[in-house]
Amino acid sequence: MLYQFEFRPYRRQFKRALSTSHGNWDIREGIILRFTDDKGAIGWGEIAPIPWFGSETLPSAINFCRQLGDEITTETIFSIPSKLPSCQFGFESALNFGFWILDFGLKADFPNSVESATNPQSKIQNLKSKIAYSCLLPAGEAALHQWQTLWQQGYRTFKWKINVVPIQDEIKIFAKLIQALPTSAKLRLDANAGLNWSAANEWLKVCENYSQIEFLEQPLPVEQFDAMLDLANRYSTPIALDESVATLSQLQTCYEKGWRSIFVIKPGIVGSPRLLRQFCQQHDIDVVFSSVFETVIGRQAALNLAAELSHRDRAVGFGVNHWFNEDEETWLENLWNNPH
Ligand SMILES: O=C(O)CCC(=O)C1=CC=C[C@@H](O)[C@@H]1C(=O)O
Ligand SMILES: [Mg+2]
């Protein structure tokens, strides 16, 4: 099958820089793809790399798009190399013509799927279960002042970045946060690979006292897999791998090396949805789907995958904390009609 192909690189300033133990992240850069088939139907896709997680860089994705010219076939799409995982995701997603934009009035042929993309407690319909949303809290003390607003919006699961301030101060803030949160709330801690063995044990000893802690995400660097496997066996608080399983080949490797706790999957950078589907159908793994702070195009494609492949009641990390200032559709219309 042959499609007309167009693409637009984009840059979007976050409303608030994202503080993680990787450092601060201010700008989301990516590429929006548009396919048009021989009947004029339109398919949209998004390439949203996170190089420091192990995906390709934006320049390499742009170079890949440039060398394609203005036509593309399904054969080309399904032969995109695994060294371009965000491109694999973006191009395969654009083939899903069930989701299109008519005159920039966002429309999808999944009942209520767009509505569910913003309402935290709405449920994405899927075959086996319904999914709620988790929302990222601001790092540090700010979390104490933000969680109530998000709770009133309907969120019941929150994620809080740790290793952003010195550990003793952070544990004091954590104690205030966990005391303030209702007992029915769930809290995820994300260290972004920034702890050492001693600090990881210190955090896990603290977490042991609180049933609201759903998991500790990526406590140690990617190369310390054995140590994380050891932690997973020592404590009752589950460990979730994120940076360690950023691409499909890493996911397969960690599974083969015996990981059976939680896998955080970021569809936007993991690679081919077709190959991910095969892996998740072959292995009954405990998955949390997570955003790459993409636009509504990549988000909807990722949520459709999450709805299809989630089969445990794990909230998806796509809570809308309004990362960007502009309204999505206005932004997209401007990007497409006024390419700079
Ligand atoms: O998973 C979520 O709840 C939201 C997404 C999220 O936390 C992240 C997205 C992209 C990069 C990281 O800063 C961060 C993560 O480490 O999971
Ligand atoms: Mg993470």
Side-chain angles (χ1 to χ4, degrees):
M1 186 71 176
L2 180 72
Y3 304 100
Q4 294 306 307
F5 164 60
E6 302 159 83
F7 71 96
R8 297 274 193 285
Y10 70 80
R11 276 173 64 85
R12 295 185 86 177
Q13 173 103 35
F14 285 123
K15 198 183 277 182
R16 287 180 299 276
L18 197 72
S19 304
T20 81
S21 74
H22 288 292
N24 283 342
W25 182 8
D26 304 302
I27 306 265
R28 162 36 89 203
E29 294 182 298
I31 306 169
I32 300 294
L33 310 172
R34 185 166 79 172
F35 290 3
T36 309
D37 73 8
D38 53 5
K39 299 183 185 64
I42 291 177
W44 295 85
E46 178 173 358
I47 298 170
I50 311 185
W52 61 93
F53 260 65
S55 81
E56 68 272 52
T57 62
L58 182 71
S60 51
I62 291 176
N63 289 340
F64 176 75
C65 290
R66 279 209 180 106
Q67 55 84 35
L68 289 170
D70 55 9
E71 289 183 341
I72 190 166
T73 63
T74 38
E75 291 73 22
T76 305
I77 290 166
F78 287 114
S79 55
I80 295 173
S82 56
K83 67 179 179 177
L84 297 170
S86 297
C87 289
Q88 287 180 320
F89 173 75
F91 279 87
E92 280 189 39
S93 307
L95 281 176
N96 175 3
F97 282 72
F99 161 62
W100 69 97
I101 294 177
L102 288 175
D103 307 324
F104 291 104
L106 197 61
K107 180 171 170 22
D109 67 2
F110 304 93
N112 302 325
S113 60
V114 172
E115 182 269 336
S116 65
T118 50
N119 175 340
Q121 286 309 307
S122 71
K123 306 291 183 189
I124 315 174
Q125 302 296 331
N126 81 350
L127 299 180
K128 302 189 184 97
S129 68
K130 294 175 183 262
I131 305 171
Y133 289 76
S134 166
C135 202
L136 196 59
L137 294 171
E141 288 259 355
L144 300 173
H145 315 298
Q146 171 110 31
W147 74 266
Q148 295 96 324
T149 309
L150 296 168
W151 179 274
Q152 281 146 19
Q153 288 174 13
Y155 290 101
R156 295 295 178 265
T157 301
F158 303 94
K159 181 153 95 167
W160 191 46
K161 298 284 185 185
I162 61 171
N163 199 45
V164 175
V165 298
I167 185 166
Q168 290 316 319
D169 299 338
E170 208 157 59
I171 288 178
K172 288 188 185 116
I173 300 167
F174 168 81
K176 289 180 193 164
L177 180 61
I178 204 75
Q179 294 299 342
L181 282 173
T183 48
S184 60
K186 285 183 182 173
L187 183 64
R188 299 164 172 180
L189 303 181
D190 189 348
N192 284 110
L195 301 178
N196 58 30
W197 176 257
S198 155
N201 279 276
E202 190 168 352
W203 269 109
L204 284 162
K205 286 183 183 116
V206 169
C207 291
E208 289 297 90
N209 305 314
Y210 301 102
S211 58
Q212 295 110 307
I213 304 301
E214 186 180 359
F215 55 74
L216 172 60
E217 190 169 318
Q218 197 71 39
L220 299 177
V222 170
E223 54 278 6
Q224 294 182 25
F225 174 83
D226 294 340
M228 285 187 281
L229 205 53
D230 188 355
L231 290 174
N233 294 323
R234 284 171 183 245
Y235 295 96
S236 60
T237 301
I239 308 280
L241 295 183
D242 186 10
E243 285 83 344
S244 291
V245 293
T247 61
L248 193 56
S249 59
Q250 287 173 286
L251 181 65
Q252 288 163 328
T253 302
C254 287
Y255 183 84
E256 285 154 14
K257 286 166 71 176
W259 191 261
R260 294 298 180 275
S261 189
I262 299 168
F263 296 80
V264 175
I265 292 182
K266 290 179 165 48
I269 59 170
V270 77
S272 160
R274 180 174 51 99
L275 299 178
L276 177 68
R277 187 175 292 114
Q278 279 173 13
F279 183 80
C280 291
Q281 286 165 348
Q282 283 161 8
H283 307 295
D284 179 21
I285 56 173
D286 190 349
V287 178
V288 170
F289 283 88
S290 170
S291 164
V292 295
F293 301 120
E294 58 282 280
T295 78
V296 65
I297 301 288
R299 172 192 176 82
Q300 197 58 43
L303 287 173
N304 292 337
L305 259 182
E308 181 190 346
L309 301 178
S310 291
H311 49 80
R312 283 176 170 85
D313 208 16
R314 296 265 187 217
V316 290
F318 284 83
V320 181
N321 210 348
H322 302 299
W323 303 111
F324 304 108
N325 288 307
E326 322 85 353
D327 161 73
E328 289 287 82
E329 291 178 28
T330 311
W331 173 81
L332 199 57
E333 187 160 4
N334 290 336
L335 175 79
W336 213 261
N337 295 336
N338 313 299
H340 23 281

